[in-house]
Amino acid sequence: MSHIQDYGPAAPHGPDMDGTHDPIHTMNENERQIFDYLIKPDDSYNEEGVYWADLSIPKRIAFVTHSDGKEARRELGSIWQMFKRDPLEPFRYYVRNMVIPGAGLGLEGYVLFSIGNVKPLFASTFASCWGTKPKNPICNKTWIQAVDYLEICGIIVGQILVGILGDWLGRRWGLIQDATIMFIGLLMLTASWGVTQNGWVICYVWSLFFYGIGVGGEYPMTATSGMENAVGSGKISTKEDRLHRGRKVTSAFLMQGWGQFFNQVILILLLLIFHHGSGNPPYSEVATQWTYRISFAIPAVGTLWLVYFRTFKMRSAGKQLKAAKRKSKVTGYDVESLKLTFTYFGPRIIATAGGWFCNDVFFYGNKLFQSEFIGAITHESKSVMPGWLYNLINVGVSLVGYYLASFLIDNKLYGRKNMQQLGFLMDFIFFVVPGFNYHYYTKVNLVGFQAMYFLSSFFNQFGPNAVTFLVAAEVYPTPIRATAHGFSAAAGKMGALLAAILYNYISVIERFHVVPWFGLGGMLLTLFFLPDTTGLDLKEQERRWQYIRAGRESDYHGIAVHPKHLSLWERLRGVGKHYNPELDYQQKIEEMRADWESVQARKVEEKAGHWDDAYDDHDDSVWSSDVSTYFEKTSRSPMIAGREKYGNGGDGGEKTI
C-alpha cells in the first residue's frame, strides 16, 4: 500500500506532524493546472473545480446537459470522420466494441430462447411424450418438467463456480472455459438421442444442464471483463470510463436480445423449409428433428469461433485484476477481500442479489403474460407459428428497451438507480392492473392487455434486467467482482426457479396476483440498499477499497463516499461523513507522488540491473515535465535526488545536492 502510506517529514516545508500542512503551497500556476487536469477532469468538475454532484440542481442540470452535449457532438463527429474514410468503418467499430464483447451472451440468449421455443413444437409433434395432457404417456413427466429446472440449476452452478474461479485464476481463463463448455454443450444438444423417446428426453435434459454451466459463467465473466476493459489498469481514469462505462457493458448485454431475435427468425425459416413451406400442423417428426437440430448446430459454429477468439485475441483480459492482486500482495483467491466485502458492502449484496431475484421472477412472469396473451388473441390455435410471430414482436420491443437503457444508463440526471426503480414500478403496475380485472382484459379489452404485455417487456429491459447485470459487478471491488456478480446472478436464477415451480401449483389468476409484488419489493430494495454509481469514476471506488484494505477507511475523503454515490442505508449509517474535496485533492497529489517515486526507484533498479516485475503496473507516461519537476523539488524520499535548478522540466544543467 505504498500509495496510501503515511509520509513523515515533508521537505522543504518541514515535518507535517499535525496534518495541517498544505502540501500544494509551493505549486506554480502551470503545475496547478496540470494537477487540476489530472485530478478534476472537465466532464466531472465545473470550471470552479466543483464536483458535479455538489452543484445545486439547476447548475447540475446545466453542467450535465452541456457536458453530455459536448461528448455527443464529439462522438457524432468521430462517426462522421470514420464514415468519410470508409462507409463500413462505423459498422466495424460497433462490431469490435459492442458485438464481439457480447458474443457469448448473444449465443447463449439464442440457445436458451430456443429451449422455450421448441417445446410447443415438440408437444405438437411428440404429443404422447411432450404433450401437456397425453392420453397414453410414454415419457416420464418429471423429466419433461426437468427441462426447465435442470437448465436453471446448471446456470446457477456456472454463475457461482465460474464467478469464484474468475477471481481466482483470472478473467481470460473464465472466458475461455465458458466458451468451451457452451460449445461442447451445443454438440451434446444437437446430437442428443436415445433408444426410446424418454431416453432422448433424459439425454436432452442433461445436455441442457451441462450447457447451462457455461451460460452461468458467461454472466460474471462478460460483465467484469467488459467493465475492466473500459476502465483499464492504468493509474489515471479515462473519459471512456467516466462517461460510457455503463453503455459499454449494457451494449454487450443487449446482444442477448439479438440472440433471441435471430433464434426466432431462424426457427421460423427452418420450419418453413423442412415443413414444405407451411407453419401449420400436423408436423412430421422428420421436419421437427431437422428444425431443432440445425437450430442448435448454427450457434455451435459461432461458439467454436468464440473459443478461438478468446484464446488467441484476448490475452490481456484480466490485467486490472492482476494489478489489484499485486497491490494487495495476493497470488490466489483473495479471501481477505471477500471477508471485507461482506463487512463493508453487505447491504449492497442485498440490493444486487435481491434485485436480481425479484427481476427474474418478473422475467419469468412475462412468459406467463405471453402465454395468456397469445392464447387469448389466437383463440388457442394449435399452430406454433402465431406464438413464434408474437414472440418476434415482443423481442423487437425488448430490443428497443435494451438500446434505450444503453443510451441513458450513463446519464447523470437519470442513471442506474432511477432506471431500475422506474422499471420495477412500471412492471408492478402492468401486472397488477390485469391481475385484479383479469376477465375484462382477456375477454373485453384485448388491446389494453396487448399494450400492457409489450410495455412490461419494454420496461423490464429498460430497467432492472439491464441495470442488475451492470451494477452487480460495478458496486464491488476488483478482487471479488466476478464472485459477487456470480452470486447475484445465481440469486436471480433462484427467482426464475421459484417462479417455474410456483406456477405449477397456483392458478393463472393467482399468478397475476403474486408476481406484481416482486416488482414492488425490487423497487424498495433498490431504494434502500443500492448505491448510484452513475458518473462515479471507478478508479475512485478502487482507491477507496485500498484504504479499506489497509484498515484506514476513515482516511478516505473522495467522491466514492459522496452521498450521491451511496445507498440510502449507507447514508443513514454515516458512511459519507468523511467526504472532503479539499483533503481528497491533497491526498491524491501525495498518492501520485508515491507512484512517481516508485517509478524513479524502478529506473534506479533498471540502471543497477535489478528488475522487479512488481513495478509493471506503474505508468510513467502520465508524468509531465511540470509534474515531475514539482515532485522533484518537494520530494520527501531520501532515495530521490533533488535538483539544484528548477525549471519547467527543461534539460538545463543539473547536479545532485
Side-chain angles (χ1 to χ4, degrees):
M1 304 302 167
S2 61
H3 57 299
I4 56 173
Q5 61 184 297
D6 291 319
Y7 291 98
H13 47 272
D16 186 7
M17 304 302 292
D18 57 4
T20 60
H21 269 318
D22 178 7
I24 62 176
H25 76 281
T26 60
M27 279 186 189
N28 61 42
E29 185 59 29
N30 199 38
E31 290 168 346
R32 186 181 294 275
Q33 289 177 2
I34 294 294
F35 278 114
D36 283 348
Y37 173 80
L38 294 173
I39 296 175
K40 296 184 176 182
D42 61 2
D43 53 76
S44 298
Y45 293 81
N46 69 1
E47 294 178 352
E48 288 76 38
V50 180
Y51 187 55
W52 69 269
D54 285 323
L55 297 171
S56 63
I57 297 298
K59 289 184 178 180
R60 185 185 303 180
I61 293 173
F63 173 80
V64 171
T65 303
H66 172 75
S67 177
D68 288 355
K70 180 181 176 181
E71 179 65 11
R73 289 190 295 273
R74 186 196 65 80
E75 287 195 303
L76 290 173
S78 297
I79 293 171
W80 176 242
Q81 291 300 320
M82 285 191 287
F83 182 81
K84 286 197 297 184
R85 287 193 300 268
D86 180 351
L88 291 179
E89 190 172 342
F91 175 73
R92 287 196 294 268
Y93 178 87
Y94 179 79
V95 171
R96 186 170 59 252
N97 291 278
M98 311 297 182
V99 176
I100 292 178
L105 287 171
L107 289 164
E108 65 89 2
Y110 175 105
V111 176
L112 294 187
F113 200 62
S114 187
I115 303 303
N117 280 334
V118 298
K119 280 187 73 175
L121 182 61
F122 287 164
S124 180
T125 307
F126 306 100
S128 58
C129 179
W130 290 84
T132 52
K133 294 181 180 179
K135 294 181 180 179
N136 299 302
I138 61 173
C139 295
N140 189 306
K141 183 180 178 182
T142 301
W143 281 112
I144 298 295
Q145 293 174 335
V147 170
D148 292 326
Y149 302 157
L150 274 182
E151 172 196 338
I152 296 173
C153 290
I155 293 173
I156 292 173
V157 170
Q159 287 166 334
I160 296 176
L161 179 64
V162 180
I164 294 173
L165 292 177
D167 284 332
W168 183 9
L169 302 178
R171 313 295 191 226
R172 181 169 175 263
W173 184 92
L175 289 166
I176 294 171
Q177 74 94 47
D178 285 339
T180 304
I181 290 176
M182 289 195 294
F183 174 67
I184 297 172
L186 280 168
L187 293 182
M188 293 168 64
L189 285 168
T190 304
S192 61
W193 194 243
V195 177
T196 64
Q197 286 193 31
N198 193 61
W200 168 41
V201 171
I202 294 172
C203 183
Y204 182 76
V205 166
W206 283 112
S207 299
L208 269 179
F209 174 81
F210 185 83
Y211 181 79
I213 295 174
V215 170
E218 196 65 22
Y219 281 77
M221 289 298 97
T222 300
T224 54
S225 62
M227 182 175 301
E228 290 166 6
N229 287 341
V231 175
S233 60
K235 297 294 180 185
I236 305 299
S237 65
T238 64
K239 183 173 289 190
E240 182 72 16
D241 165 39
R242 296 187 297 270
L243 296 183
H244 306 305
R245 183 177 67 245
R247 186 180 71 184
K248 189 174 182 70
V249 176
T250 51
S251 292
F253 180 62
L254 67 79
M255 290 306 299
Q256 189 179 67
W258 280 113
Q260 296 170 0
F261 179 85
F262 284 115
N263 169 255
Q264 194 63 84
V265 171
I266 288 172
L267 277 176
I268 291 172
L269 292 176
L270 288 174
L271 185 60
L272 291 175
I273 290 169
F274 293 111
H275 195 52
H276 313 295
S278 170
N280 297 319
Y283 306 108
S284 70
E285 293 186 5
V286 173
T288 298
Q289 290 286 351
W290 276 104
T291 298
Y292 118 77
R293 292 184 190 278
I294 291 182
S295 74
F296 284 143
I298 290 172
V301 176
T303 307
L304 180 60
W305 171 85
L306 196 63
V307 174
Y308 158 78
F309 184 84
R310 289 178 173 179
T311 303
F312 297 102
K313 303 295 183 181
M314 296 185 67
R315 298 183 188 276
S316 62
K319 189 176 180 182
Q320 186 173 339
L321 175 64
K322 184 179 178 181
K325 285 187 174 183
R326 183 178 292 132
K327 288 178 184 176
S328 302
K329 295 181 173 59
V330 175
T331 54
Y333 189 83
D334 195 343
V335 178
E336 181 65 22
S337 287
L338 183 64
K339 294 177 181 177
L340 289 172
T341 298
F342 277 100
T343 301
Y344 289 94
F345 296 146
R348 296 188 179 192
I349 296 174
I350 296 174
T352 58
W356 209 326
F357 177 87
C358 293
N359 175 66
D360 269 30
V361 173
F362 253 108
F363 196 74
Y364 200 92
N366 186 260
K367 294 182 180 180
L368 157 69
F369 220 147
Q370 173 181 300
S371 62
E372 296 306 311
F373 161 67
I374 293 173
I377 205 168
T378 61
H379 306 292
E380 304 296 339
S381 170
K382 296 186 181 298
S383 173
V384 299
M385 275 297 177
W388 283 3
L389 290 170
Y390 276 110
N391 279 350
L392 194 59
I393 297 172
N394 190 44
V395 171
V397 172
S398 297
L399 276 170
V400 175
Y402 275 120
Y403 273 99
L404 194 57
S406 179
F407 284 124
L408 291 180
I409 202 161
D410 287 310
N411 184 281
K412 297 181 179 70
L413 302 178
Y414 188 55
R416 287 98 154 119
K417 189 165 184 174
N418 289 331
M419 185 181 292
Q420 180 155 308
Q421 285 181 286
L422 180 64
F424 271 130
L425 178 62
M426 297 307 293
D427 277 344
F428 167 74
I429 293 171
F430 291 133
F431 272 78
V432 81
V433 170
F436 286 93
N437 207 349
Y438 180 76
H439 292 291
Y440 170 74
Y441 283 105
T442 54
K443 303 297 182 184
V444 180
N445 190 3
L446 204 57
V447 174
F449 193 63
Q450 180 180 0
M452 286 185 285
Y453 164 60
F454 287 130
L455 285 170
S456 70
S457 294
F458 170 81
F459 277 103
N460 185 255
Q461 310 308 331
F462 181 57
N465 201 42
V467 177
T468 50
F469 181 81
L470 170 63
V471 297
E474 193 175 48
V475 301
Y476 300 109
T478 299
I480 52 86
R481 183 169 286 147
T483 302
H485 192 281
F487 177 79
S488 300
K493 287 304 172 187
M494 291 298 293
L497 188 62
L498 171 67
I501 296 172
L502 186 65
Y503 289 175
N504 289 324
Y505 297 98
I506 59 178
S507 67
V508 173
I509 296 179
E510 287 174 333
R511 295 174 196 172
F512 273 97
H513 290 167
V514 169
V515 169
W517 305 106
F518 286 93
L520 195 60
M523 188 186 75
L524 293 175
L525 285 176
T526 304
L527 173 65
F528 284 106
F529 299 116
L530 184 68
D532 190 356
T533 47
T534 308
L536 173 63
D537 185 344
L538 209 60
K539 292 291 186 185
E540 275 299 307
Q541 183 163 281
E542 291 303 309
R543 185 167 159 257
R544 180 195 174 201
W545 177 251
Q546 293 303 319
Y547 277 86
I548 292 174
R549 196 76 167 69
R552 297 175 54 201
E553 181 199 15
S554 61
D555 291 338
Y556 174 77
H557 306 292
I559 58 174
V561 292
H562 190 290
K564 173 66 179 177
H565 301 307
L566 298 174
S567 68
L568 178 59
W569 177 261
E570 288 170 333
R571 293 201 297 271
L572 291 174
R573 287 184 55 243
V575 175
K577 65 185 177 182
H578 299 295
Y579 174 65
N580 188 315
E582 290 76 18
L583 284 178
D584 185 57
Y585 188 87
Q586 297 173 14
Q587 278 184 331
K588 284 182 177 178
I589 292 176
E590 295 308 304
E591 291 166 20
M592 291 173 70
R593 179 197 303 279
D595 291 334
W596 177 84
E597 291 180 349
S598 295
V599 170
Q600 305 312 306
R602 182 191 67 182
K603 292 178 179 178
V604 172
E605 295 277 336
E606 279 185 300
K607 289 180 179 179
H610 303 296
W611 176 256
D612 186 354
D613 288 340
Y615 292 122
D616 281 352
D617 62 314
H618 289 293
D619 180 10
D620 56 357
S621 64
V622 302
W623 312 121
S624 71
S625 58
D626 294 283
V627 171
S628 293
T629 299
Y630 172 74
F631 286 149
E632 285 169 3
K633 71 183 182 184
T634 60
S635 177
R636 304 169 183 187
S637 170
M639 295 178 62
I640 307 299
R643 296 180 187 269
E644 186 177 47
K645 295 186 178 181
Y646 300 108
N648 288 327
D651 295 325
E654 58 183 62
K655 59 181 180 180
T656 58
I657 56 174

